[in-house]
Amino acid sequence: MKTPSRIEPLVADGLVDHVMRQLMSGKEAMVYVVQCGDELRCAKVYKEANKRGFHKAADYTEGRKIKNSRQARAMAKGSRYGRQEQEAAWQHAEVDALRRLAAAGVRVPTPYDFHEGVLLMELVTDEDGEPAPRLNDVVLDEADARRFHADLLRQVVRMLCAGIVHGDLSEYNVLVDRNGPVIIDLPQAVDAAANNNARAMLERDVDNLAAYFGQFAPELRDTAYGKEIWTLYESGKLQPESVLTGVFEAAAGHADVDEVMQVIEAARQEEAARQAGRAAAAAGEL
């Protein structure tokens, strides 16, 4: 096929020989199968911000490190330069996340190069060497559903141990190769320690998995792995191989009734004193 204009610089630099075909079009990017020497790889071409379907970016970018104060000021002002830098940071977030997660043993595509808004990475394939299907396109039985669910929970735990929450995990962001699930699409990945939305996103990711696999193994719908995983993380006890139960009970706080009554009585007396003061002032004016 004709080489897309955004991939032409990679061809000129010798990183890509030619484009084979378009693989998919998503809300954030277009993905192509490309020939690189003797290998087939993926070229992910990010869409411009005004053409992306992904919203609420501010929730995801909170806590991300900015290279220098000039960039930070420009982003805050929303200048043209600032918008360019914000877009570059959004794209680089996936590259950084993929590298960190691959090093942590998470099943993600291997990133090779990032050049002018195009991410060159591993092409995940099935047993026949064809591009691996997305999870939502795979026919599952109960045993497969339980196995894939357990596998993905382990990946989520490893991600969190590496300080990252996917933030948009679902059956549409998972490929299935010959060895099982592979997690993809990470430009919105958040820093678990620096983003105030990280807990809610982690729990939503895990709930999405439970809802999907629960179609095939209904008992998974009644699990509470998200809350369990985050509680272990927050307490510093989460490890890549932590044993999970799917059961979570919120710690019941013991109410000190006497202390509560004392606070109420103090507030009552304070209000009574204010009322008496107003009455006295009114009488003096008369």
Side-chain angles (χ1 to χ4, degrees), residues 8-174:
E8 287 176 354
L10 280 76
V11 175
D13 288 349
L15 297 174
V16 170
D17 293 329
H18 58 271
V19 179
M20 304 293 289
R21 63 186 175 91
Q22 182 180 316
L23 182 59
M24 63 171 290
S25 176
K27 59 190 176 183
E28 303 160 6
M30 302 279 285
V31 181
Y32 299 88
V33 177
V34 298
Q35 187 78 43
C36 302
D38 296 331
E39 293 185 9
L40 290 181
R41 295 180 177 176
C42 277
K44 183 172 185 177
V45 181
Y46 291 94
K47 293 181 179 179
E48 296 175 6
N50 60 352
K51 296 179 181 178
R52 280 202 311 259
F54 199 90
H55 303 293
K56 298 183 179 179
D59 292 344
Y60 294 86
T61 55
E62 177 185 320
R64 288 186 180 175
K65 295 179 180 178
I66 307 301
K67 291 182 180 179
N68 57 55
S69 58
R70 177 172 176 250
Q71 288 177 317
R73 289 194 301 271
M75 289 181 186
K77 290 179 180 178
S79 65
R80 181 178 179 181
Y81 170 73
R83 290 193 299 271
Q84 291 173 343
E85 289 300 307
Q86 194 165 31
E87 190 64 14
W90 178 267
Q91 295 169 4
H92 276 285
E94 179 161 31
V95 184
D96 295 340
L98 286 172
R99 287 172 177 160
R100 286 174 60 184
L101 294 178
V106 180
R107 299 203 72 219
V108 295
T110 302
Y112 295 117
D113 289 284
F114 181 71
H115 186 72
E116 296 187 14
V118 180
L119 171 60
L120 195 60
M121 59 183 173
E122 174 191 4
L123 174 66
V124 180
T125 59
D126 62 14
E127 295 179 353
D128 300 319
E130 294 296 318
R134 289 191 295 188
L135 177 60
N136 68 301
D137 292 324
V138 176
V139 177
L140 301 175
D141 57 23
E142 286 190 32
D144 286 334
R146 294 190 187 99
R147 179 165 57 88
F148 284 3
H149 180 259
D151 189 320
L152 283 166
L153 279 183
R154 186 56 52 200
Q155 304 307 315
V156 167
V157 168
R158 287 177 181 164
M159 289 176 70
L160 190 54
C161 287
I164 294 174
V165 173
H166 187 287
D168 191 34
L169 188 60
S170 74
E171 64 271 24
Y172 301 102
N173 302 103
V174 176

Side-chain angles (χ1 to χ4, degrees), residues 260-273:
V260 172
M261 294 305 296
Q262 289 174 8
V263 171
I264 293 173
E265 178 60 21
R268 189 193 65 78
Q269 292 179 4
E270 185 177 348
E271 179 59 22

